[in-house]
Amino acid sequence: MTNATGLSLENPGGLTSKINVRSDMVFKVPDNITDEEVAMVEPTAVGLHAIHLADIKVGDKVLIIGSGIIGLTSTMFAKLEGASYVAVSEVNEARGNKAVELNVADEYFKADDKFLETVSSKIPTGFDVVIECCGNSNAVGSSLMTVKPGGTVVLVGVSLNPVTIPTVVAVMRELNLKGAIAYTKEEFKTCIELMSNKQIDVKKFVSEIVGLNEVQSSYEKLTSGDSDVIKILVDPNIY
Ligand SMILES: NC(=O)c1ccc[n+]([C@@H]2O[C@H](COP(=O)([O-])OP(=O)(O)OC[C@H]3O[C@@H](n4cnc5c(N)ncnc54)[C@H](O)[C@@H]3O)[C@@H](O)[C@H]2O)c1
């Protein structure tokens, strides 16, 4: 049995069977939610916060760049907010296709050399909203290039290093650029309620549940770039 104390930069927590956290960081969850769903509340709340900041209007066309778990929860909420068409772009074809197969995205665009050309022939006016869920300069640059003039780009992806982006596009198109970090307590509670009321299904994003001895191989699978695996949950009680 492993133990961890608190969540901080020095001790990011997780991957442990017991953990001490501040009482104000604990939420009581209803009995009708499974442990798998509880583990999914956090990334689901990230998607909800991004969509709240995006201020999507009914009928909007939305592009989500990157279809990892953050991209997919954002895609799910973009639809629930009333977007009429939500596409994802991905460099990993298996993940892009899965976003459509899971019935979350309407369409998948491969993020290759022809990406901008393909998107502009399909959506010549540009997307009303683009949510960037990768953090690299290619993806952030694509978000600026695919949104309509005056449109909104929400930056969710994190890069610890500076990224190079064509700022002139943001200037010329008078874009609204917003950063999104984490979620509010209310949004976290909302995700618990949505799961408890069976209004969202996030179990479909859980590809595998593994024990601590499979953590390394799971990270390798997730970062391979060609796997369709989305979310791997770690159950520290599995040996
Ligand atoms: N802002 C926040 O509060 C917050 C919270 C959690 C995660 N994040 C960040 O959000 C991002 C997504 O998280 P995740 O867990 O889904 O990560 P992930 O690595 O599982 O997913 C990112 C996906 O983006 C794809 N990708 C990379 N470059 C691309 C490009 N140019 N075009 C299209 N797709 C591209 C990758 O193939 C991958 O599938 C990460 O940067 C993460 O650090 C931010």
Side-chain angles (χ1 to χ4, degrees):
M1 185 178 289
T2 53
N3 292 285
T5 302
L7 295 167
S8 66
L9 287 178
E10 292 73 36
N11 185 352
L15 302 181
T16 176
S17 53
K18 288 192 173 178
I19 189 165
N20 290 327
V21 292
R22 290 198 331 251
S23 57
D24 63 321
M25 295 177 73
V26 177
F27 293 80
K28 187 164 168 42
V29 293
D31 290 340
N32 71 342
I33 304 186
T34 63
D35 287 352
E36 289 75 31
E37 286 173 299
V38 173
M40 292 299 289
V41 170
E42 202 276 344
T44 305
V46 174
L48 181 60
H49 186 60
I51 293 306
H52 280 161
L53 289 173
D55 195 20
I56 291 168
K57 308 279 183 302
V58 171
D60 273 357
K61 292 187 174 62
V62 177
L63 174 67
I64 312 286
I65 301 190
S67 64
I69 187 58
I70 301 302
L72 287 181
T73 55
S74 302
T75 309
M76 173 180 76
F77 283 123
K79 268 297 183 67
L80 289 173
E81 273 306 275
S84 61
Y85 168 81
V86 186
V88 297
S89 70
E90 245 304 335
V91 287
N92 175 348
E93 211 165 334
R95 271 193 168 183
N97 285 325
K98 193 157 187 181
V100 178
E101 281 161 23
L102 288 175
N103 216 10
V104 184
D106 294 309
E107 188 159 12
Y108 153 58
F109 294 108
K110 185 156 173 57
D112 58 12
D113 295 348
K114 294 196 174 134
F115 168 66
L116 292 177
E117 208 181 304
T118 312
V119 167
S120 76
S121 66
K122 175 92 193 187
I123 312 287
T125 51
F127 287 90
D128 300 290
V129 171
V130 178
I131 318 255
E132 193 288 319
C133 300
C134 311
N136 60 56
S137 51
N138 234 338
V140 180
S142 294
S143 67
L144 305 185
M145 301 294 287
T146 49
V147 74
K148 72 177 186 185
T152 298
V153 173
V154 181
L155 301 173
V156 187
V158 173
S159 168
L160 296 180
N161 297 312
V163 297
T164 307
I165 54 166
T167 53
V168 66
V169 179
V171 172
M172 299 305 286
R173 294 187 185 173
E174 298 195 333
L175 302 181
N176 302 302
L177 298 184
K178 295 183 184 178
I181 185 68
Y183 31 76
T184 64
K185 274 194 169 182
E186 279 313 307
E187 287 163 340
F188 201 88
K189 276 194 218 159
T190 299
C191 289
I192 295 172
E193 280 163 22
L194 289 170
M195 289 178 196
S196 176
N197 297 337
K198 312 294 171 208
Q199 287 165 290
I200 56 171
D201 169 23
V202 291
K203 288 192 295 249
K204 62 185 172 191
F205 300 137
V206 178
S207 308
E208 293 172 27
I209 302 175
V210 301
L212 285 171
N213 57 355
E214 285 179 77
V215 167
Q216 178 64 27
S217 57
S218 298
Y219 275 123
E220 284 165 13
K221 199 183 289 182
L222 285 168
T223 54
S224 67
D226 58 10
S227 164
D228 73 348
V229 163
I230 304 291
K231 189 72 182 170
I232 300 179
L233 297 183
V234 179
D235 181 345
N237 300 310
I238 297 178
Y239 292 98

